[in-house]
């Protein structure tokens, strides 16, 4: 009966109106993005880009309140979990004390951070060195290129690995193996000489992982057997190349993990021929693999380390270079050798200093190695039950899942990985009555590898959730 009083909207009607409002707002933002935002500064590979509005721990949240378990954590920039209270508070304290200062002046946080990193490197590698800061990984790579060119009397050629990735500035692109990143920008006369990485799953059949590692070292060493191999002048004992840029575990290349004997053999060849080893720890540093630096697993002493990403847990851009004293002392690398307005900025150095203290106080090595082994066991179980999983591997919390066509579990399947990423964004994977999304990242030589860089703070329950969600996702795409 109509008594003249307005009726309260039902809960369903309110929810429907809310969903419609959220959808309209998202459509408005995507329309603006399509018209005014460059795609050149974002990945933009998915058909329907996702807009997130919140984050906590291991999860991203959208405006509708959907929870997405993040298994890539901003390309390993947020190792210590989203909105980490200790690191967030360090940023807030710095904002209220010294939020800005020109890089030509000093501040406590920069000095203490540099000393902490340099002293740690000296204790581990037995080499005194110094730390130089910048704002992004590629910029730090550029600074390292200046260091090694300066130290080698201007030699501008470098070795690097097939599958290696060091950034997309012009200098970093020259030592990154993908021609895709150089193609539109003219000729790169100083492009690196790219050497095969021991990618055992797709290496020659009949070799163990260690044998393949030795084979790759031998193939590199043969370049120095004769002047006619193009890199070495035996009459004066000089190489044409200044340095070899390495990722101990390949990042964008698909988290490929070399055999433990590989880098010792490679470093001997480099040392014998006066070539520096520059280790890119931008993605694998800060306990991603269970060590502060991933190169620590392989028993060699680097000449230069380049770092970034997780040093500030993604809160403020900061990167840097550690180099041996002979390469970076002020007499050989004086003031003004390189510069960035925001290098060593106090917000970044304050958070990084707190992060370093946190890593020193807590046993991240034991924790990460235990969680990584547990996660890898779950992935191996998935491999047994899903033909689309060709290989799984991991070191610490850097893990890989190589997705292949189900008929042979070997032929790379980019189509399935693309589908997985799109399906993960739907937030309709259901576990124990709750719906989740999955944030995944694609890597690999054939773009068929799911590279997993979950939060180091991830709980065992969240690892179990990740395995269950991946299990459901694999089943869905295999039948699509």
């Amino acid at each position: 009966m109509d008594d003249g009083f307005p009726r309260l909207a039902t809960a369903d009607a309110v929810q429907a109106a809310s969903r419609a409002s959220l959808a309209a707002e998202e459509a408005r933002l995507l329309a603006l993005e399509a018209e005014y935002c460059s795609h050149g500064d974002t990945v933009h590979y998915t058909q329907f880009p996702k807009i997130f509005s919140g984050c906590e721990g291991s999860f991203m949240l959208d405006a509708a309140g959907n929870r997405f378990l993040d298994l890539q954590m901003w390309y390993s920039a947020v190792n210590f979990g989203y909105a980490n209270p200790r690191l967030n508070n360090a940023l807030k304290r710095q904002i209220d004390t010294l939020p800005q200062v020109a890089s030509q002046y000093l501040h406590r946080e920069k000095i203490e951070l540099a000393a902490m990193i340099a002293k740690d490197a000296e204790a581990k590698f037995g080499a005194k060195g110094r730390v130089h800061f910048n704002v992004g990984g590629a910029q730090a790579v550029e600074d390292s290129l200046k260091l090694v060119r300066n130290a080698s009397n201007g030699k501008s050629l470098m070795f690097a690995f097939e599958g290696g990735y060091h950034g997309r500035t012009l200098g970093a692109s020259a030592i990154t193996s993908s021609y895709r990143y150089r193609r539109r920008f003219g000729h790169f006369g100083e492009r690196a000489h790219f050497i095969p990485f021991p990618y055992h799953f797709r290496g020659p059949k009949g070799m163990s992982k260690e044998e393949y590692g030795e084979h790759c070292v031998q193939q590199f060493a043969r370049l120095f057997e004769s002047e006619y191999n193009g890199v070495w002048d035996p009459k004066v004992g000089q190489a044409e190349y200044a340095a070899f840029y390495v990722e101990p575990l390949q990042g964008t290349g698909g988290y490929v993990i070399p055999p433990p004997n590989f880098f010792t053999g490679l470093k001997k060849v480099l040392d014998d021929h006066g070539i520096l080893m520059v280790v890119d720890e931008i993605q694998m540093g800060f306990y991603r693999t269970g060590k502060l630096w991933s190169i620590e697993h392989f028993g060699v002493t680097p000449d230069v380390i380049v770092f970034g990403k997780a040093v500030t847990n993604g809160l403020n851009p900061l990167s840097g270079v550690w180099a041996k004293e002979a390469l970076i002392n002020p007499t050989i690398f004086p003031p003004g050798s390189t510069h960035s307005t925001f290098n060593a900025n106090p917000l970044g150095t304050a958070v990084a200093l707190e992060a370093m203290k946190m890593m020193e106080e807590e046993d991240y090595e034991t924790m990460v190695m235990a969680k990584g082994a547990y996660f890898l066991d779950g992935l191996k179980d998935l491999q047994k039950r899903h033909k689309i999983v060709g290989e799984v591997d991991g070191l610490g919390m850097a893990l890989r899942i190589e997705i292949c066509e189900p008929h042979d579990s070997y032929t790379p399947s980019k189509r399935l990985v693309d589908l997985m990423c799109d399906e993960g964004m739907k937030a309709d994977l259901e576990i124990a009555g709750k719906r989740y999304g999955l944030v995944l990242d694609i890597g690999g030589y054939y773009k068929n590898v799911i590279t997993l860089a979950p939060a180091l703070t991830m709980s065992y329950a969240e690892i179990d959730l990740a395995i269950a969600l991946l299990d459901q996702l694999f089943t869905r795409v295999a039948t699509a």
Side-chain angles (χ1 to χ4, degrees), residues 219-293:
Q219 289 300 105
F220 176 61
R222 68 169 290 277
L223 296 178
F224 302 90
E225 291 177 356
S226 165
E227 66 182 270
Y228 298 105
N229 292 333
V231 304
W232 177 248
D233 182 351
K235 290 189 176 181
V236 296
Q238 283 194 19
E240 190 175 11
Y241 291 76
F244 199 136
Y245 275 73
V246 310
E247 295 169 287
L249 277 67
Q250 294 202 309
T252 301
Y255 283 24
V256 182
I257 302 170
N261 61 329
F262 174 67
F263 279 111
T264 51
L266 182 71
K267 186 63 163 64
K268 184 179 187 309
V269 177
L270 297 178
D271 288 346
D272 287 348
H273 298 92
I275 299 169
L276 300 172
M277 177 183 275
V278 182
V279 176
D280 184 336
E281 293 279 0
I282 293 166
Q283 189 163 162
M284 292 298 162
F286 305 105
Y287 287 96
R288 170 56 54 200
T289 67
K291 301 278 190 183
L292 181 68
W293 309 121

Side-chain angles (χ1 to χ4, degrees), residues 290-452:
K291 301 278 190 183
L292 181 68
W293 309 121
S294 60
I295 195 65
E296 293 178 54
H297 291 282
F298 300 103
V300 298
T301 295
D303 298 294
V304 179
I305 296 173
V306 183
F307 60 87
K309 287 191 186 291
V311 68
T312 65
N313 206 40
L315 287 174
N316 197 77
L318 187 75
S319 64
V321 178
W322 171 87
K324 288 181 176 178
E325 178 75 4
L327 304 176
I328 201 172
N329 74 76
T331 62
I332 191 170
F333 204 67
S337 295
T338 183
H339 175 74
S340 171
T341 298
F342 298 103
N343 69 8
N345 66 87
L347 295 181
T349 52
V351 176
L353 181 61
E354 190 68 24
M356 289 294 294
K357 290 177 179 177
M358 183 177 72
M359 287 180 262
E360 187 176 69
E361 292 165 11
E362 301 178 28
D363 188 359
Y364 273 88
E365 181 169 346
T366 300
M367 178 186 72
V368 171
M369 294 305 288
K371 288 182 180 179
Y374 183 81
F375 207 139
L376 185 57
D377 283 344
L379 296 180
K380 288 178 179 177
D381 182 62
L382 292 180
Q383 183 181 16
K384 293 175 185 175
R385 294 187 288 108
H386 294 277
K387 292 183 178 180
I388 63 172
V389 180
E391 189 202 39
V392 298
D393 201 359
L395 182 60
M397 291 286 267
L399 303 133
R400 73 189 310 268
I401 311 170
E402 182 136 357
I403 301 299
C404 302
E405 293 294 337
H407 72 275
D408 64 358
S409 301
Y410 184 77
T411 301
S413 186
K414 181 180 184 299
R415 68 174 185 90
L416 286 176
V417 173
D418 288 343
L419 183 57
M420 286 176 193
C421 290
D422 289 341
E423 290 296 314
M425 286 292 104
K426 291 181 178 178
D428 64 351
L429 299 167
E430 190 168 320
I431 303 292
K434 295 181 179 179
R435 289 159 68 93
Y436 297 93
L438 264 182
V439 178
L440 302 174
D441 194 34
I442 299 173
Y445 291 39
Y446 306 95
K447 299 302 176 190
N448 71 311
V449 178
I450 299 173
T451 53
L452 302 179

Side-chain angles (χ1 to χ4, degrees), residues 46-108:
T46 58
Q47 185 177 0
F48 305 105
K50 185 68 184 175
I51 299 175
F52 288 112
S53 59
C55 59
E56 59 180 18
S58 294
F59 292 89
M60 297 294 296
L61 295 83
D62 65 14
N66 293 311
R67 294 172 66 81
F68 296 76
L69 182 60
D70 194 338
L71 297 183
Q72 60 102 358
M73 298 304 287
W74 200 358
Y75 320 121
S76 192
V78 191
N79 285 6
F80 309 107
Y82 289 116
N84 181 293
R86 178 170 176 174
L87 302 181
N88 281 12
N89 286 334
L91 181 64
K92 294 171 186 174
R93 287 195 303 271
Q94 193 67 25
I95 286 176
D96 290 334
T97 54
L98 183 68
Q100 296 120 332
V101 64
S103 56
Q104 75 185 85
Y105 305 114
L106 293 173
H107 57 281
R108 178 185 65 84

Side-chain angles (χ1 to χ4, degrees), residues 164-187:
Y165 179 86
H166 302 286
R168 300 188 203 181
T169 55
L170 287 175
S173 294
I175 58 172
T176 291
S177 68
S178 299
Y179 173 53
R180 178 166 66 93
Y181 301 132
R182 294 187 296 275
R183 181 179 58 82
R184 295 178 303 280
F185 307 115
H187 178 64

